[in-house]
Structures are given as C-alpha cells and as structure tokens.
Amino acid sequence: MEGGGLRAVGSHCSLSEMDDLDLTRALDKPRLKIERKRSFDERSMSELSTGYSRHDGMHDSPRGRSVLDTPLSSARNSFEPHPMMAEAWEALRRSMVFFRGQPVGTLAAVDNTTDEVLNYDQVFVRDFVPSALAFLMNGEPDIVKHFLLKTLQLQGWEKRVDRFKLGEGVMPASFKVLHDPIRETDNIVADFGESAIGRVAPVDSGFWWIILLRAYTKSTGDLTLSETPECQKGMKLILSLCLAEGFDTFPTLLCADGCSMIDRRMGVYGYPIEIQALFFMALRSALSMLKPDGDGRECIEKIVKRLHALSFHMRSYFWLDHQNLNDIYRFKTEEYSHTAVNKFNVMPDSIPEWVFDFMPLRGGYFVGNVGPAHMDFRWFALGNCVSILSSLATPDQSMAIMDLLEHRWAELVGEMPLKICYPCLEGHEWRIVTGCDPKNTRWSYHNGGSWPVLLWQLTAACIKTGRPQIARRAVDLIESRLHRDCWPEYYDGKLGRYVGKQARKYQTWSIAGYLVAKMLLEDPSHIGMISLEEDKLMKPVIKRSASWPQL
C-alpha cells in the first residue's frame, strides 16, 4: 500500500514550528476535571485489587522514569513484574517513529522475519492508541502530544480520492515518515483512505483522536493542548462530519464496510456497533473539552442533543438479552403507524439458529448492526467493550455483557483472548458477504479471529465493572503464549489456538495492549483516562436488564 495515492506533507511543517504556537491559558473554570485526585469510580476500582499500592506522582524522576530506567508501572508495585513486561517495553521502544528528532508514533509492526513490508511500516491512528496509553501510564506523555499535533496538522491537508474531495475533518488512517539521509530532511506521506483496501476513509480515526486527546489531558493535567484554537477546531471539524443534518432518520452513523478496525468487507456496512460506540465516546470526550465560546457553544448544543438520541436508540434497539430475543422471535411484521412494535420490520425467520443456544438466561450484548429489515446478531468485542467504557451501556447492561463473557468463555475467549467477532461466516454466507475474501476465511483474521490487542479493552471493561478476575484470567492466557509466539497480530481457529496464517510477528498493538492491561491491573486508577462515568441526565430506557431476573 505504499506509493501512489499517499499525499506528501513537506518537512517545513515541522513539530518544532507547531510547538511555537500561542497556547491559550486554562479556563478559569475548566469543564474537564483533570486533578490527580481519583473520582468515586476510580477509587472504587482501585480498591477492588487489594494489595496494590498506589503511586500518585506521575513524574518522580526525569522523563517520568525510575532511577533504574525501568517502567514506572513496575516500580510502583511491590511484587515482581512478569518477565514479559521488560521484553514488551523493549519491543515497544524499538517501534518508535521520529520526525525531526521528536517521537511521533509507533510502527504497526517490526517483523524482521519477512521482507514483505506492505503498510506495516506506517503509524496507524487506531494502532497507536494502546501504545499511547502505555506511554501515558508510564509517565511519558511527550510522544502522545507530538502524535496528536502531527495528525492534527495532517487533518488540514486537502484529501482527494480520484477526483472526489473528502471532508475537511477526515483524519488520516496512517502516515509514514521518510528520512532523506543526504539532505538530512524528513517528509511525511499520509493515507486518508485513498491507498486502503477498498478505498474507504477511516471513520474511526477521528473518534480515536478525540478519545486520545482526553486521555492525554486526564493523565497529564495539561489543559493547554486541548484548549489551543487548533485542537478546538480539529474536534469541531471531526464532529461536523457526523452532526450535519441530512436524510437520516436515526441518530446512528451510516458507514461503509471497512471503515474501522475491520477494514475489509465483512458485512458491517450500515450502522456497525464499533462505530456507534466510538462515536458516543468521542462525543462525550469532546463535550468535556470544547470551550463554550463562539461556534463552540453551538457544537456543544448539537452534541448534547445527539447524545440523548443516540443513547436512547442504542439501548432500545441494539441491546439483546434473553427476553429481547424472545420478543423478536415473536415479532409481527409489516406493521405501520407510530404504534409499531417491530419498528425496523425485522423478520423473525432471519434470526440465526446459533443465537438461541448462544444466549444465556443471564447475560446480554449489543448486536452488531440494526437497520431497516436488518439485524446483525453477531457479537463484536470492540463495540461492546467501548460501550462499557463510554457508559453507552447502562450499569446493568455492562454487568450483563460481563456475564455473557463468563458464560461463553470458550466461544469468545477460548485459548487466546479475544474473538473480534462471533461467530464466523462460512460456506455460502462467507462467499456472499466477504466476496470470497481469502484472508477472512472462517475463524481467521476479522472473521472470528482472536486478537491479543483487544486484551486492553477487555481489561478496562472488567475493571470498570468490578470484575478484574476475568481480566486476570485472560492475561494468564496471553502470558502463556504471546511472547513465545513472537507477539503475533492475530490467531486463527475456533479456540484461537494457531498463529494467524498471515499474522505479522512483533505486532506493536499486541505488545502495547498487553502492557496497558498489565498496568491497569497493577494500578486500576489509570482507568480514568479511558473511562467515562455514567451521565445521570441520560436516563436509561431499560431500568433493569431482562437478564437480571427479579429475586
């Protein structure tokens, strides 16, 4: 995916110049609470793990590292860290990318076992998120700040696919730093989707950027970055793409296949849960950082209205538990008027057989997609974990998702965490939905493959819901194999037993995902970076999940 289609960004637009920007002063009454004192949720989460000593200082020594140059996450705790931690940190640092001497991200993979580089030598926005969180948790925020500024700079460039101009707010899927040793200059080439498989723009990149900006602010207490006119404008441009009025009758975002982590054709076009959950989390993150002045006030008003509509829609129509499944099974069709119960005209005969046995009496999840006459009953890991972290899921729904994970551990976790989706597509359905994609064969890659990077999201969701024992069980599985297998990108097979047939070794987000999971378990107060407390104003539609029977 190198070469044609990537847009060159001249080295004259360097970070050194951007650092000279006039950063605005913090608001007298900042809307974002960034003090190091833990919130109620953070305190309760840290108390879940007895024996863990908490360390309040983020910078005990220069560059935020201990005097022995070991990760702070290890120095904070009295117990001996797992040997994999040191190896993981070394591998993560080897993947760092520099632009004019400053770290700006991490490569997707540093696999020396193959000469086929493809686009794994680029910095992907979504891939960098776990790396960024690891550095933030370890007291090394500079690389995260530089990444946020550099991608913000790239957002401002004109983006075209053939003769069509993309929206101004689109963030790049990835970028690559090109070093010229003769001229001693650095240039950047960026991909906004014009070089991607299927030529699809990354809808999730902008959402991850906003979420990461909030994580940086929460971790460092540095309000000046998010309050710069450039960051304020960047957030508004991203959200303007999503909040514009059109023909939509739903508050969810209509998306093409391949616009997120699942970047190939997998039948997720429409209203995929991953995008809706990230959208919700980005809206709430932006709401805490936008300044209510000028056009910022109008943007805030739009966000508040959309959040109320989106939470109602998702909790009402995407949520599935035993009772809701039984209701859909008994749906009438072809209903008209406002009194219709089956509002999307979902055909009961379209319910796949597997879901009846998969759904436990106690448990539930957000389905993969809901649209006109369409409901994708597949379980998607990222969307459900982010739903918990963003509080899109009510407290009862969050607990029900954890219940489902425990009940269906063999199916969703198996021998290697975590299934990206369940179940897989196979046979005629695979041929029709994927277009006979040779990479997404059954139980492989995006089609039911097991992705170690999802460990950090699972761990964060477990800590937020007070179920750290589930995360520890998953970490134990990771530690039994991931290092021995050279940190692969994904695993294949129904149980995730085999290293993926095209999986890259030393995949950076597999490494970073493990580090973030370990540091979250060592110091659960880190959860405040990536978790949002429930907004009491958004009253849940479901007062008590049907998966929790009255006693």
Coordinates of all heavy atoms in Angstrom, one line a residue, residues 63-65 69-72 85-98 103 105-107 110 131 134-135 138-140 143 508 511 515:
R63 N 12.0 12.6 32.8 CA 11.3 11.8 31.8 C 10.3 10.8 32.3 O 9.9 9.9 31.6 CB 12.4 11.1 30.9 CG 13.3 12.0 30.2 CD 14.3 11.3 29.3 NE 13.6 10.5 28.3 CZ 13.1 11.0 27.1 NH1 13.3 12.3 26.9 NH2 12.5 10.2 26.3
G64 N 10.0 11.0 33.6 CA 8.9 10.1 34.2 C 9.3 8.7 34.4 O 8.5 7.8 34.4
R65 N 10.6 8.4 34.5 CA 11.1 7.0 34.7 C 11.8 6.9 36.0 O 12.4 7.8 36.6 CB 11.9 6.6 33.5 CG 11.2 6.6 32.2 CD 12.1 6.2 31.1 NE 12.5 4.8 31.2 CZ 11.8 3.7 31.0 NH1 10.5 3.9 30.6 NH2 12.2 2.5 31.1
D69 N 15.8 3.2 35.3 CA 15.3 3.2 34.0 C 14.4 2.0 33.7 O 14.3 1.5 32.6 CB 16.4 3.2 33.0 CG 16.0 3.7 31.6 OD1 15.2 4.6 31.6 OD2 16.4 3.1 30.6
T70 N 13.6 1.6 34.7 CA 12.6 0.6 34.5 C 11.3 1.2 34.4 O 11.1 2.4 34.8 CB 12.6 -0.4 35.7 OG1 12.4 0.4 36.9 CG2 13.9 -1.2 35.8
P71 N 10.3 0.6 33.8 CA 9.0 1.2 33.6 C 8.4 1.6 35.0 O 8.5 0.8 36.0 CB 8.2 0.1 33.0 CG 9.2 -0.7 32.2 CD 10.4 -0.7 33.1
L72 N 7.8 2.7 35.1 CA 7.2 3.2 36.3 C 6.2 2.2 36.8 O 6.0 2.0 38.0 CB 6.6 4.6 36.2 CG 7.6 5.8 36.3 CD1 6.8 7.0 36.1 CD2 8.3 5.8 37.6
M85 N 7.1 -8.3 30.7 CA 7.0 -6.8 30.7 C 8.2 -6.1 30.2 O 8.1 -5.2 29.3 CB 6.7 -6.3 32.2 CG 5.3 -6.7 32.7 SD 4.0 -5.7 32.0 CE 4.2 -4.2 32.9
A86 N 9.4 -6.5 30.6 CA 10.6 -5.9 30.1 C 10.8 -6.1 28.6 O 11.1 -5.2 27.9 CB 11.8 -6.5 30.9
E87 N 10.5 -7.3 28.2 CA 10.6 -7.6 26.7 C 9.6 -6.8 25.9 O 9.9 -6.3 24.9 CB 10.3 -9.1 26.5 CG 10.1 -9.5 25.1 CD 11.3 -9.6 24.3 OE1 12.4 -9.7 24.9 OE2 11.2 -9.7 23.0
A88 N 8.4 -6.6 26.5 CA 7.4 -5.8 25.8 C 7.8 -4.4 25.7 O 7.6 -3.7 24.6 CB 6.0 -6.0 26.5
W89 N 8.3 -3.8 26.7 CA 8.8 -2.4 26.7 C 9.9 -2.2 25.7 O 9.9 -1.3 24.9 CB 9.2 -2.0 28.1 CG 8.1 -1.4 28.9 CD1 7.6 -2.0 30.0 CD2 7.3 -0.3 28.7 NE1 6.5 -1.3 30.5 CE2 6.4 -0.2 29.7 CE3 7.4 0.7 27.7 CZ2 5.4 0.9 29.8 CZ3 6.5 1.8 27.8 CH2 5.5 1.8 28.8
E90 N 10.8 -3.2 25.6 CA 11.9 -3.1 24.7 C 11.4 -3.1 23.2 O 11.8 -2.3 22.4 CB 12.9 -4.2 24.9 CG 13.7 -4.1 26.1 CD 14.7 -5.3 26.3 OE1 14.8 -6.1 25.4 OE2 15.2 -5.5 27.4
A91 N 10.4 -4.0 23.0 CA 9.8 -4.1 21.7 C 9.1 -2.9 21.3 O 9.1 -2.4 20.2 CB 8.9 -5.4 21.6
L92 N 8.3 -2.3 22.3 CA 7.6 -1.1 22.0 C 8.5 0.1 21.7 O 8.2 0.8 20.7 CB 6.7 -0.8 23.2 CG 5.8 0.5 23.1 CD1 4.8 0.3 22.0 CD2 5.0 0.8 24.4
R93 N 9.6 0.2 22.4 CA 10.5 1.3 22.1 C 11.2 1.1 20.7 O 11.5 2.1 20.1 CB 11.5 1.4 23.2 CG 10.9 1.8 24.6 CD 11.9 2.1 25.6 NE 11.2 2.3 26.9 CZ 10.5 3.3 27.3 NH1 10.2 4.3 26.4 NH2 9.9 3.3 28.5
R94 N 11.4 -0.1 20.3 CA 12.0 -0.3 19.0 C 11.1 0.1 17.9 O 11.6 0.4 16.8 CB 12.4 -1.8 18.8 CG 13.6 -2.3 19.6 CD 14.1 -3.6 19.0 NE 13.1 -4.7 19.1 CZ 13.0 -5.5 20.2 NH1 13.8 -5.4 21.2 NH2 12.1 -6.4 20.2
S95 N 9.8 0.2 18.2 CA 8.8 0.5 17.1 C 8.6 2.0 17.0 O 7.9 2.5 16.1 CB 7.5 -0.1 17.4 OG 6.8 0.5 18.5
M96 N 9.3 2.8 17.9 CA 9.0 4.3 17.9 C 9.5 4.9 16.6 O 10.5 4.6 16.0 CB 9.7 4.9 19.1 CG 9.1 4.5 20.4 SD 10.0 5.1 21.8 CE 9.8 6.9 21.7
V97 N 8.7 5.9 16.1 CA 9.0 6.6 14.9 C 9.3 8.1 15.2 O 8.6 8.7 16.1 CB 7.8 6.6 13.9 CG1 8.0 7.5 12.7 CG2 7.5 5.2 13.5
F98 N 10.4 8.6 14.6 CA 10.8 10.0 14.9 C 10.6 10.9 13.7 O 10.9 10.5 12.6 CB 12.2 10.0 15.4 CG 12.4 9.3 16.7 CD1 12.5 8.0 16.8 CD2 12.5 10.1 17.9 CE1 12.7 7.3 18.1 CE2 12.6 9.5 19.1 CZ 12.7 8.1 19.2
P103 N 9.7 12.0 18.8 CA 8.9 10.8 18.6 C 7.4 11.2 18.3 O 6.8 12.1 18.9 CB 8.9 10.1 20.0 CG 9.2 11.2 21.0 CD 10.0 12.2 20.2
G105 N 5.1 8.6 17.1 CA 4.2 7.4 17.0 C 5.0 6.1 17.0 O 6.2 6.1 17.3
T106 N 4.3 5.0 16.7 CA 4.9 3.7 16.7 C 4.5 3.0 15.4 O 3.4 3.1 15.0 CB 4.5 2.8 17.9 OG1 3.1 2.8 18.1 CG2 5.1 3.4 19.2
L107 N 5.4 2.2 14.8 CA 5.1 1.4 13.7 C 4.1 0.4 14.0 O 4.0 -0.1 15.1 CB 6.4 0.8 13.1 CG 7.5 1.7 12.7 CD1 8.7 0.8 12.3 CD2 7.1 2.5 11.5
V110 N 7.1 -4.5 13.6 CA 8.6 -4.5 13.3 C 8.9 -6.0 13.2 O 9.5 -6.6 14.0 CB 9.4 -3.9 14.4 CG1 10.9 -3.8 14.0 CG2 8.9 -2.5 14.7
S131 N -0.5 2.0 22.3 CA 0.9 2.5 22.6 C 0.9 3.8 23.4 O 1.6 4.0 24.3 CB 1.7 2.7 21.3 OG 1.8 1.5 20.5
A134 N 0.0 3.2 27.0 CA 1.1 2.6 27.7 C 2.1 3.7 28.1 O 2.6 3.8 29.2 CB 1.8 1.6 26.9
F135 N 2.4 4.6 27.2 CA 3.4 5.7 27.5 C 2.8 6.6 28.5 O 3.5 7.1 29.4 CB 3.8 6.4 26.2 CG 4.7 5.7 25.3 CD1 4.3 5.4 24.0 CD2 6.0 5.3 25.7 CE1 5.2 4.7 23.2 CE2 6.8 4.6 24.9 CZ 6.5 4.3 23.6
N138 N 3.0 5.2 31.9 CA 4.3 5.1 32.3 C 5.0 6.5 32.5 O 6.2 6.6 32.7 CB 5.2 4.3 31.3 CG 6.4 3.8 32.0 OD1 6.4 3.2 33.1 ND2 7.6 4.0 31.3
G139 N 4.2 7.6 32.5 CA 4.7 8.9 32.7 C 5.5 9.5 31.6 O 6.4 10.3 31.8
E140 N 5.2 9.1 30.3 CA 6.0 9.6 29.2 C 5.0 10.2 28.1 O 4.7 9.5 27.1 CB 6.8 8.4 28.5 CG 7.8 7.8 29.5 CD 8.5 6.6 28.8 OE1 9.2 6.8 27.8 OE2 8.3 5.5 29.3
I143 N 5.5 11.8 23.5 CA 5.3 11.1 22.2 C 3.8 11.2 21.9 O 3.4 11.4 20.7 CB 5.7 9.6 22.3 CG1 5.5 9.0 20.9 CG2 5.0 8.8 23.3 CD1 6.1 7.6 20.8
T508 N 2.9 -4.3 17.0 CA 3.0 -3.3 18.1 C 1.8 -3.2 19.0 O 1.9 -3.1 20.2 CB 3.4 -1.9 17.5 OG1 4.6 -2.0 16.7 CG2 3.6 -0.9 18.6
I511 N 1.7 -5.9 21.5 CA 2.6 -5.7 22.6 C 2.1 -4.6 23.5 O 2.0 -4.8 24.8 CB 4.0 -5.2 22.0 CG1 4.6 -6.3 21.2 CG2 4.9 -4.7 23.1 CD1 5.7 -5.8 20.2
L515 N 0.8 -4.5 27.6 CA 1.3 -3.6 28.6 C 0.2 -2.8 29.3 O 0.2 -2.6 30.5 CB 2.3 -2.7 28.0 CG 3.7 -3.3 27.6 CD1 4.5 -2.3 26.7 CD2 4.5 -3.7 28.8

